[in-house]
Amino acid sequence: MPVYDPVILTNADNIFIAPNARIDSFCKIEGGLGVTIGEHVHVASFCHINIGSGEVILEDGSAMASGAKIIGGSNLLDGESRSAVAPAEQQQVKRYRTVLGKNAVLFTNAVVLPGVTIGEGAALAAGSVATKDIPPGELWGGVPAKFMRMCK
């Protein structure tokens, strides 16, 4: 499993990276409630996986282009503080399960919000923000992302 330094892993005991996956340099992966990176997954440089420390799954054959981000959780506005370093009693954090489906791709600087599933073979265009699930085989783009066309 090639992991090219420097890569930052937090809560590394909750991170599984399959033997045939590749993680390029300058990535950050937050273990949170769990991160699973499947076979033949490519995570390009400058990606950030599991911001907010929920549960994130990158299924077999999926890919993240440079700068893509997957958010797994977030501080809610209901808490006294939104700072991750504030005392726990001042925060209200919600963690989600966020999935990048088999053979799906996030293009450069795409962002997947917490709890969103990107379906099998789907794609999220460069610079786009997925605020809801993207069905299998569809290309979505924009902010917020909307259907553009089928991938094949």
Side-chain angles (χ1 to χ4, degrees):
M1 148 191 64
V3 176
Y4 296 98
D5 285 331
V7 169
I8 298 170
L9 304 176
T10 63
N11 201 6
D13 289 345
N14 288 347
I15 299 170
F16 169 79
I17 302 173
N20 293 312
R22 184 175 113 191
I23 312 297
D24 291 345
S25 55
F26 302 104
C27 291
K28 182 175 183 183
I29 305 170
E30 298 183 33
L33 298 178
V35 172
T36 302
I37 298 175
E39 292 290 343
H40 307 289
V41 171
H42 177 222
V43 178
S45 296
F46 304 105
C47 289
H48 194 161
I49 299 171
N50 204 12
I51 299 164
S53 297
E55 177 187 11
V56 171
I57 299 168
L58 280 66
E59 294 182 352
D60 294 349
S62 62
M64 296 176 66
S66 185
K69 294 168 181 60
I70 298 177
I71 303 173
S74 181
N75 264 293
L76 302 177
L77 296 176
D78 299 336
E80 179 181 345
S81 175
R82 267 64 69 199
S83 171
V85 296
E89 63 273 6
Q90 293 179 7
Q91 299 181 54
Q92 191 169 30
V93 178
K94 185 157 184 189
R95 292 179 173 86
Y96 300 80
R97 183 175 192 263
T98 309
V99 178
L100 182 60
K102 183 176 180 181
N103 298 319
V105 62
L106 305 178
F107 289 110
T108 301
N109 292 324
V111 177
V112 179
L113 294 186
V116 170
T117 294
I118 309 298
E120 182 174 343
L124 182 60
S128 298
V129 178
T131 60
K132 58 185 177 181
D133 292 355
I134 296 177
E138 295 185 3
L139 168 65
W140 283 42
V143 180
K146 296 185 182 342
F147 175 79
M148 296 175 72
R149 66 175 179 87
M150 296 304 292
C151 290
K152 290 185 181 187

